[in-house]
Amino acid sequence: MKCGGGRFSEKSTDLLTKINSSIDIDKRLAFEDILGSKAHVEMLAKMDIITKKTKAKILRGLKKIEKEIIGGDFNFNDSLEDIHMNIEARLAEIIGSEAGRIHTARSRNDQVVTDLRLWMRKAIIDIEVELSKLMISLLEKSEKSIGIISPGYTHLQVAQPVRFSHHLLAYLEMFGRDIERFKQAKERLNECPLGAAALAGTSFPIDRFDTAKTLGFRAPMRNSIDAVSDRDFVLEFISASAIAMVHFSRLAEELILWASIEFDFISLPDSLVTGSSIMPQKKNPDAAELIRAKTGRVNGALLSLLTVMKGLPLAYAKDMQEDKESVFDVFDTLILVIKITKELIEKMKVNEINMYNAASNGFSTATDLADWFVRELGMPFREAHSLTGKIVGVASRKNIKLSEFSLNDLKKIEPKISEKVFKILSPENSIESRNSYGGTASREIRRQIRFWKRRLNA
Ligand code: ARG
C-alpha cells in the first residue's frame, strides 16, 4: 500500500521506496504507536466520532498486533514506509475496512511525534536508573578510598595532594547534574502533540485533554503547528547525552592514563582488558578507550540533528524522519557506556603506594609552604609565593623534596623559617589543612559523602 495511494497512477521506484522507508528504524516505536492509537480510539468513541462497536473491533485488532510483535510474528514491510503504516495496514488485514477509522482526526505528523515523546519519556527513566546505579558505585568507591592520597593535577602537572575520594566525588557531581538535565528535559517534553493532526488541528470534536491524560502527558501542546514541527525535545535529549558523554570520556581518559605503566595508579582486572595480537605483554584498556571514542558518535548525532532542523520551514517536513536513528543510537550508546563505566569503577584496583608517591612528588606542598609564610611570618601572599619559588628552585637543583631540606639550608634562604615548617610539608598535613567548604580535608569529604548518601537514597 502506497501512502496517499488514491492520488497516484504509478507505484514508487525502488529507490524512492528505499530512501523513504524508515521501518527498519522506527519499528522500535511499535508499542508506543499502539499505545497512542488506543488512547486516540478510546477518545474518538467517547466523543461519538466512531461507534463503540468500531472501537472494540479496532482495540481487538491492535491487541493481536501487539501479540504478534512480541512473539516476533509481525511482518514489517519496507514498502509500507514506516511503523504507522505497517500497523494500520495489518489492522486492515485483521479487521477489514473499519481499520481506516483509526486515522480519523489524526495524521502521521502528530502520531510520530507522540510516539517519540512517549518513547523518550521512558528512555530517560532508564537512563536515570542506570546513572543512579553508577553513582552509587562511585559513592561506595569514594567512601572506601577516603584514606588514599593522590596527586591533584592542573595542566596534568602535579599541583596539590588530594584525597582520591575527592577526585571521584567530582565525577559524582557531574553525573548528578547530568541526571538533572535529563529530568528537566523529560519534564519539558511531557506534553501531548496528539490531535494536532497534519498541522492545523481538526474539524472533528476531539478531546485533546482526554488523550493527553490517558497517555500520562501533563497537557496537550498548545499550538498544533509547533506540536508537529519542532524536535527541540530530541535536541535536548541528545545535548544532555553529549554532555554526559563528555563526562564519561574524561573519566575514561583518566582510567587510561592511570592504567598506563608510567602512572600505574590503577590496575584493571583481566576481565576488563584486552590483549594484543602481536605483543604478548599487553593489557589494553579498550573498554575505556571505546567510551572515549563513542563520545564522537553522540556529539556527531547532536550536530547531525541540529543541521537537519536548522533550515526547515514550518510545519512538518520529511527531514525530521532522520531524527530517530540518532536518538536510538545515542540512547543505546549511553546505556552501554554507563553500565561499563560502572564495572570499571567497581573492579579497578587502586595502587595506593604509587598514588601516594606521586602526590608527594613535584613539590606538591609548595602552596602549603607559601601559606605558612603568610600565616606564621605575616608575609603578603605574593612575596611568600616568590620566596617559595626560590626554595623550590634550590630543591630542584639539589634534586630533593621540600621535606628533605635541613633547617639550616632553609634558614640560609629565609632566616625567619623555624622547625615548625616541617609539619606542613607532608601530603597528609597539606590535605587536612584544606578544610574550606568543598575542600579535600576528611571532614569535607565526609560531608560530601553524607550529601550523596542522602541524595541517592531519596
Ligand atoms: N515516518 C515519518 C517520520 O518519521 C512519519 C510522518 C510522515 N508524515 C508525512 N507527512 N509523510 O517523520
Side-chain angles (χ1 to χ4, degrees):
M1 176 176 54
K2 177 163 170 159
C3 186
R7 192 201 180 293
F8 303 118
S9 55
E10 289 176 359
K11 63 192 241 309
S12 304
T13 69
D14 290 348
L15 285 176
L16 172 59
T17 303
K18 191 171 157 75
I19 197 170
N20 200 29
S21 162
S22 58
I23 187 63
D24 285 344
I25 310 273
D26 59 27
K27 61 178 165 203
R28 212 163 152 173
L29 294 175
F31 297 116
E32 285 75 17
D33 199 69
I34 291 172
L35 204 65
S37 287
K38 283 184 187 161
H40 183 64
V41 165
E42 292 280 5
M43 181 277 293
L44 290 179
K46 242 185 255 174
M47 303 306 290
D48 282 330
I49 301 168
I50 59 171
T51 65
K52 303 267 178 306
K53 242 176 97 184
T54 303
K55 176 191 91 171
K57 233 175 161 180
I58 293 177
L59 290 181
R60 217 178 325 111
L62 288 174
K63 202 170 205 162
K64 184 161 183 341
I65 292 173
E66 204 166 16
K67 274 200 192 129
E68 288 175 359
I69 295 173
I70 292 171
D73 303 324
F74 190 91
N75 180 24
F76 293 102
N77 183 344
D78 233 19
S79 61
L80 291 172
E81 282 190 42
D82 56 24
I83 187 62
H84 325 295
M85 300 307 294
N86 267 269
I87 289 179
E88 197 184 318
R90 179 70 188 124
L91 188 64
E93 282 173 6
I94 300 171
I95 69 168
S97 65
E98 279 305 83
R101 297 194 190 279
I102 196 178
H103 215 53
T104 316
R106 182 177 83 171
S107 153
R108 277 188 297 160
N109 297 351
D110 57 337
Q111 193 179 351
V112 68
V113 69
T114 302
D115 294 1
L116 193 54
R117 282 175 189 261
L118 285 170
W119 182 89
M120 197 170 283
R121 207 170 61 186
K122 191 177 159 293
I124 291 180
I125 294 171
D126 290 350
I127 290 173
E128 284 171 24
V129 169
E130 292 307 324
L131 263 176
S132 302
K133 286 193 215 156
L134 163 66
M135 289 171 75
I136 289 168
S137 291
L138 257 171
L139 180 59
E140 281 167 1
K141 199 76 171 182
S142 307
E143 205 172 9
K144 275 190 221 138
S145 311
I146 193 152
I148 301 177
I149 291 177
S150 63
Y153 292 91
T154 63
H155 313 265
L156 197 55
Q157 306 285 320
V158 172
Q160 293 169 346
V162 294
R163 294 196 178 279
F164 187 51
S165 318
H166 198 190
H167 197 100
L168 296 178
L169 286 162
Y171 281 104
L172 213 51
E173 296 286 339
M174 297 176 224
F175 295 137
R177 284 191 296 274
D178 287 329
I179 288 206
E180 289 302 310
R181 261 183 288 274
F182 280 113
K183 280 196 173 132
Q184 287 161 7
K186 186 179 68 188
E187 264 312 293
R188 250 190 304 281
L189 72 78
N190 196 26
E191 290 185 341
C192 189
L194 194 61
L199 80 163
T202 174
S203 57
F204 290 99
I206 60 171
D207 183 351
R208 290 193 56 208
F209 288 85
D210 178 86
T211 42
K213 194 166 166 227
T214 308
L215 294 170
F217 287 111
R218 182 174 56 238
M221 290 182 77
R222 251 187 316 275
N223 182 313
S224 61
I225 295 179
D226 174 52
V228 295
S229 65
D230 204 2
R231 293 293 183 271
D232 58 353
F233 69 102
V234 178
L235 290 170
E236 277 197 56
F237 173 78
I238 303 183
S239 307
S241 303
I243 295 172
M245 283 299 295
V246 169
H247 294 151
F248 280 105
S249 185
R250 295 183 73 179
L251 176 54
E253 168 62 14
E254 297 208 304
L255 297 181
I256 293 163
L257 282 174
W258 294 344
S260 71
I261 201 89
E262 290 79 0
F263 276 79
D264 201 8
F265 285 180
I266 59 166
S267 61
L268 298 171
D270 286 356
S271 57
L272 279 171
V273 292
T274 55
S276 151
S277 57
I278 176 168
M279 298 165 284
Q281 84 284 13
K282 290 301 287 290
K283 242 181 107 175
N284 295 328
D286 293 31
E289 292 170 89
L290 286 163
I291 292 168
R292 192 174 56 182
K294 282 181 189 294
T295 308
R297 62 198 285 157
V298 176
N299 291 358
L302 179 58
L303 189 61
S304 153
L305 207 66
L306 282 168
T307 311
V308 165
M309 294 306 294
K310 70 170 264 301
L312 294 187
L314 302 187
Y316 177 84
K318 197 60 171 270
D319 307 51
M320 284 185 257
Q321 178 163 282
E322 287 288 308
D323 60 359
K324 285 170 280 303
E325 191 167 3
S326 295
V327 167
F328 296 149
D329 186 63
V330 164
F331 172 75
D332 293 341
T333 303
L334 188 57
I335 290 284
L336 176 63
V337 162
I338 300 173
K339 285 184 176 168
I340 195 146
T341 301
K342 179 172 176 286
E343 270 192 20
L344 285 163
I345 292 294
E346 281 170 358
K347 295 190 178 154
M348 72 181 185
K349 262 236 202 40
V350 178
N351 188 339
E352 295 187 30
I353 294 172
N354 286 353
M355 274 198 182
Y356 182 84
N357 288 341
S360 38
N361 279 337
F363 312 110
S364 66
T365 52
T367 318
D368 300 82
L369 183 56
D371 289 349
W372 188 84
F373 291 139
V374 172
R375 225 177 302 111
E376 297 290 317
L377 307 185
M379 249 178 224
F381 182 76
R382 273 293 149 238
E383 218 173 287
H385 183 281
S386 134
L387 173 58
T388 307
K390 219 157 120 191
I391 294 173
V392 167
V394 175
S396 169
R397 279 189 294 280
K398 288 180 174 248
N399 199 18
I400 58 171
K401 292 181 183 168
L402 293 177
S403 56
E404 288 166 355
F405 266 111
S406 71
L407 183 58
N408 250 349
D409 282 347
L410 281 177
K411 274 185 182 293
K412 272 184 218 150
I413 308 171
E414 167 53 59
K416 281 189 255 159
I417 294 182
S418 72
E419 190 76 53
K420 282 194 277 181
V421 78
F422 289 103
K423 283 233 307 256
I424 55 107
L425 292 178
S426 74
E428 289 84 346
N429 283 323
S430 164
I431 280 178
E432 279 312 280
S433 72
R434 294 214 155 70
N435 57 8
S436 54
Y437 183 83
T440 208
S442 46
R443 184 188 78 193
E444 285 306 308
I445 301 301
R446 293 221 165 77
R447 185 208 303 282
Q448 292 176 45
I449 289 173
R450 276 199 305 278
F451 169 84
W452 283 110
K453 272 193 179 157
R454 251 181 281 124
R455 170 65 65 89
L456 290 167
N457 269 332

